PDB file of all heavy atoms in Angstrom:
ATOM      1  N   GLY A 128     -20.253 -12.203  10.295  1.00 97.00           N
ATOM      2  CA  GLY A 128     -20.188 -13.615   9.915  1.00 97.00           C
ATOM      3  C   GLY A 128     -19.271 -14.450  10.779  1.00 97.00           C
ATOM      4  O   GLY A 128     -19.297 -15.678  10.721  1.00 97.00           O
ATOM      5  N   SER A 129     -18.488 -13.817  11.606  1.00 98.00           N
ATOM      6  CA  SER A 129     -17.592 -14.538  12.475  1.00 98.00           C
ATOM      7  C   SER A 129     -18.357 -15.343  13.502  1.00 98.00           C
ATOM      8  O   SER A 129     -19.286 -14.849  14.115  1.00 98.00           O
ATOM      9  CB  SER A 129     -16.632 -13.568  13.172  1.00 98.00           C
ATOM     10  OG  SER A 129     -15.837 -14.201  14.143  1.00 98.00           O
ATOM     11  N   THR A 130     -17.944 -16.601  13.692  1.00 98.00           N
ATOM     12  CA  THR A 130     -18.602 -17.420  14.693  1.00 98.00           C
ATOM     13  C   THR A 130     -17.987 -17.212  16.056  1.00 98.00           C
ATOM     14  O   THR A 130     -16.981 -16.483  16.213  1.00 98.00           O
ATOM     15  CB  THR A 130     -18.486 -18.929  14.343  1.00 98.00           C
ATOM     16  OG1 THR A 130     -17.139 -19.389  14.635  1.00 98.00           O
ATOM     17  CG2 THR A 130     -18.807 -19.190  12.872  1.00 98.00           C
ATOM     18  N   SER A 131     -18.531 -17.860  17.067  1.00 98.00           N
ATOM     19  CA  SER A 131     -17.997 -17.725  18.415  1.00 98.00           C
ATOM     20  C   SER A 131     -16.818 -18.655  18.677  1.00 98.00           C
ATOM     21  O   SER A 131     -16.379 -18.805  19.798  1.00 98.00           O
ATOM     22  CB  SER A 131     -19.111 -18.008  19.463  1.00 98.00           C
ATOM     23  OG  SER A 131     -19.629 -19.316  19.268  1.00 98.00           O
ATOM     24  N   SER A 132     -16.295 -19.258  17.595  1.00 98.00           N
ATOM     25  CA  SER A 132     -15.104 -20.109  17.667  1.00 98.00           C
ATOM     26  C   SER A 132     -14.091 -19.681  16.612  1.00 98.00           C
ATOM     27  O   SER A 132     -13.535 -20.538  15.897  1.00 98.00           O
ATOM     28  CB  SER A 132     -15.476 -21.581  17.523  1.00 98.00           C
ATOM     29  OG  SER A 132     -16.282 -22.008  18.595  1.00 98.00           O
ATOM     30  N   SER A 133     -13.845 -18.418  16.479  1.00 98.00           N
ATOM     31  CA  SER A 133     -12.842 -17.887  15.548  1.00 98.00           C
ATOM     32  C   SER A 133     -11.501 -17.848  16.253  1.00 98.00           C
ATOM     33  O   SER A 133     -11.428 -17.549  17.420  1.00 98.00           O
ATOM     34  CB  SER A 133     -13.240 -16.493  15.060  1.00 98.00           C
ATOM     35  OG  SER A 133     -14.510 -16.516  14.441  1.00 98.00           O
ATOM     36  N   ASP A 134     -10.416 -18.107  15.467  1.00 97.00           N
ATOM     37  CA  ASP A 134      -9.127 -18.248  16.161  1.00 97.00           C
ATOM     38  C   ASP A 134      -7.964 -17.878  15.244  1.00 97.00           C
ATOM     39  O   ASP A 134      -8.007 -17.985  14.025  1.00 97.00           O
ATOM     40  CB  ASP A 134      -8.987 -19.718  16.611  1.00 97.00           C
ATOM     41  CG  ASP A 134      -7.781 -19.925  17.502  1.00 97.00           C
ATOM     42  OD1 ASP A 134      -7.643 -19.207  18.511  1.00 97.00           O
ATOM     43  OD2 ASP A 134      -6.969 -20.809  17.196  1.00 97.00           O
ATOM     44  N   LYS A 135      -6.868 -17.493  15.892  1.00 96.00           N
ATOM     45  CA  LYS A 135      -5.538 -17.348  15.334  1.00 96.00           C
ATOM     46  C   LYS A 135      -5.504 -16.510  14.058  1.00 96.00           C
ATOM     47  O   LYS A 135      -5.294 -16.994  12.948  1.00 96.00           O
ATOM     48  CB  LYS A 135      -4.942 -18.743  15.087  1.00 96.00           C
ATOM     49  CG  LYS A 135      -3.409 -18.744  15.128  1.00 96.00           C
ATOM     50  CD  LYS A 135      -2.897 -18.234  16.443  1.00 96.00           C
ATOM     51  CE  LYS A 135      -1.478 -17.646  16.330  1.00 96.00           C
ATOM     52  NZ  LYS A 135      -1.278 -16.566  17.282  1.00 96.00           N
ATOM     53  N   ASN A 136      -5.612 -15.231  14.261  1.00 98.00           N
ATOM     54  CA  ASN A 136      -5.663 -14.244  13.158  1.00 98.00           C
ATOM     55  C   ASN A 136      -4.329 -13.558  12.983  1.00 98.00           C
ATOM     56  O   ASN A 136      -3.516 -13.461  13.882  1.00 98.00           O
ATOM     57  CB  ASN A 136      -6.719 -13.218  13.515  1.00 98.00           C
ATOM     58  CG  ASN A 136      -6.486 -12.633  14.912  1.00 98.00           C
ATOM     59  OD1 ASN A 136      -6.659 -13.343  15.878  1.00 98.00           O
ATOM     60  ND2 ASN A 136      -6.083 -11.386  14.991  1.00 98.00           N
ATOM     61  N   PHE A 137      -4.135 -13.033  11.777  1.00 97.00           N
ATOM     62  CA  PHE A 137      -3.095 -12.065  11.518  1.00 97.00           C
ATOM     63  C   PHE A 137      -3.674 -11.021  10.522  1.00 97.00           C
ATOM     64  O   PHE A 137      -4.667 -11.298   9.841  1.00 97.00           O
ATOM     65  CB  PHE A 137      -1.832 -12.685  10.916  1.00 97.00           C
ATOM     66  CG  PHE A 137      -0.786 -12.974  11.949  1.00 97.00           C
ATOM     67  CD1 PHE A 137      -0.233 -14.224  12.118  1.00 97.00           C
ATOM     68  CD2 PHE A 137      -0.320 -11.957  12.792  1.00 97.00           C
ATOM     69  CE1 PHE A 137       0.727 -14.474  13.084  1.00 97.00           C
ATOM     70  CE2 PHE A 137       0.641 -12.184  13.764  1.00 97.00           C
ATOM     71  CZ  PHE A 137       1.157 -13.477  13.909  1.00 97.00           C
ATOM     72  N   SER A 138      -3.037  -9.873  10.467  1.00 98.00           N
ATOM     73  CA  SER A 138      -3.565  -8.781   9.654  1.00 98.00           C
ATOM     74  C   SER A 138      -2.453  -8.142   8.849  1.00 98.00           C
ATOM     75  O   SER A 138      -1.269  -8.225   9.199  1.00 98.00           O
ATOM     76  CB  SER A 138      -4.214  -7.726  10.579  1.00 98.00           C
ATOM     77  OG  SER A 138      -5.271  -8.281  11.335  1.00 98.00           O
ATOM     78  N   ALA A 139      -2.830  -7.462   7.769  1.00 98.00           N
ATOM     79  CA  ALA A 139      -1.880  -6.761   6.916  1.00 98.00           C
ATOM     80  C   ALA A 139      -2.627  -5.650   6.209  1.00 98.00           C
ATOM     81  O   ALA A 139      -3.856  -5.636   6.098  1.00 98.00           O
ATOM     82  CB  ALA A 139      -1.231  -7.713   5.911  1.00 98.00           C
ATOM     83  N   THR A 140      -1.850  -4.723   5.634  1.00 98.00           N
ATOM     84  CA  THR A 140      -2.458  -3.620   4.899  1.00 98.00           C
ATOM     85  C   THR A 140      -1.802  -3.475   3.535  1.00 98.00           C
ATOM     86  O   THR A 140      -0.618  -3.783   3.366  1.00 98.00           O
ATOM     87  CB  THR A 140      -2.309  -2.284   5.692  1.00 98.00           C
ATOM     88  OG1 THR A 140      -3.157  -1.295   5.140  1.00 98.00           O
ATOM     89  CG2 THR A 140      -0.877  -1.800   5.748  1.00 98.00           C
ATOM     90  N   ASP A 141      -2.572  -3.067   2.559  1.00 98.00           N
ATOM     91  CA  ASP A 141      -2.070  -2.809   1.226  1.00 98.00           C
ATOM     92  C   ASP A 141      -1.488  -1.403   1.206  1.00 98.00           C
ATOM     93  O   ASP A 141      -2.215  -0.427   1.175  1.00 98.00           O
ATOM     94  CB  ASP A 141      -3.237  -2.936   0.219  1.00 98.00           C
ATOM     95  CG  ASP A 141      -2.749  -2.867  -1.214  1.00 98.00           C
ATOM     96  OD1 ASP A 141      -1.729  -2.231  -1.467  1.00 98.00           O
ATOM     97  OD2 ASP A 141      -3.424  -3.407  -2.109  1.00 98.00           O
ATOM     98  N   ASP A 142      -0.148  -1.304   1.221  1.00 96.00           N
ATOM     99  CA  ASP A 142       0.507  -0.017   1.328  1.00 96.00           C
ATOM    100  C   ASP A 142       1.210   0.365   0.002  1.00 96.00           C
ATOM    101  O   ASP A 142       2.119   1.193   0.018  1.00 96.00           O
ATOM    102  CB  ASP A 142       1.488   0.035   2.486  1.00 96.00           C
ATOM    103  CG  ASP A 142       2.565  -1.034   2.386  1.00 96.00           C
ATOM    104  OD1 ASP A 142       2.594  -1.771   1.367  1.00 96.00           O
ATOM    105  OD2 ASP A 142       3.381  -1.148   3.311  1.00 96.00           O
ATOM    106  N   ALA A 143       0.785  -0.272  -1.084  1.00 96.00           N
ATOM    107  CA  ALA A 143       1.414   0.006  -2.401  1.00 96.00           C
ATOM    108  C   ALA A 143       0.572   0.997  -3.180  1.00 96.00           C
ATOM    109  O   ALA A 143      -0.552   0.682  -3.568  1.00 96.00           O
ATOM    110  CB  ALA A 143       1.572  -1.293  -3.191  1.00 96.00           C
ATOM    111  N   PRO A 144       1.089   2.220  -3.433  1.00 95.00           N
ATOM    112  CA  PRO A 144       0.305   3.188  -4.204  1.00 95.00           C
ATOM    113  C   PRO A 144      -0.071   2.690  -5.599  1.00 95.00           C
ATOM    114  O   PRO A 144      -1.060   3.167  -6.201  1.00 95.00           O
ATOM    115  CB  PRO A 144       1.244   4.390  -4.292  1.00 95.00           C
ATOM    116  CG  PRO A 144       2.146   4.258  -3.104  1.00 95.00           C
ATOM    117  CD  PRO A 144       2.353   2.788  -2.928  1.00 95.00           C
ATOM    118  N   SER A 145       0.679   1.711  -6.136  1.00 94.00           N
ATOM    119  CA  SER A 145       0.355   1.167  -7.452  1.00 94.00           C
ATOM    120  C   SER A 145      -0.854   0.229  -7.429  1.00 94.00           C
ATOM    121  O   SER A 145      -1.359  -0.134  -8.509  1.00 94.00           O
ATOM    122  CB  SER A 145       1.573   0.419  -7.989  1.00 94.00           C
ATOM    123  OG  SER A 145       1.963  -0.615  -7.097  1.00 94.00           O
ATOM    124  N   SER A 146      -1.300  -0.161  -6.260  1.00 97.00           N
ATOM    125  CA  SER A 146      -2.384  -1.130  -6.139  1.00 97.00           C
ATOM    126  C   SER A 146      -3.741  -0.466  -6.315  1.00 97.00           C
ATOM    127  O   SER A 146      -3.991   0.639  -5.828  1.00 97.00           O
ATOM    128  CB  SER A 146      -2.330  -1.805  -4.773  1.00 97.00           C
ATOM    129  OG  SER A 146      -3.500  -2.553  -4.530  1.00 97.00           O
TER     130      SER A 146
END
Side-chain angles (χ1 to χ4, degrees):
S129 173
T130 75
S131 58
S132 294
S133 301
D134 188 53
K135 207 58 205 149
N136 52 292
F137 264 126
S138 301
T140 193
D141 187 333
D142 59 4
S145 57
S146 168

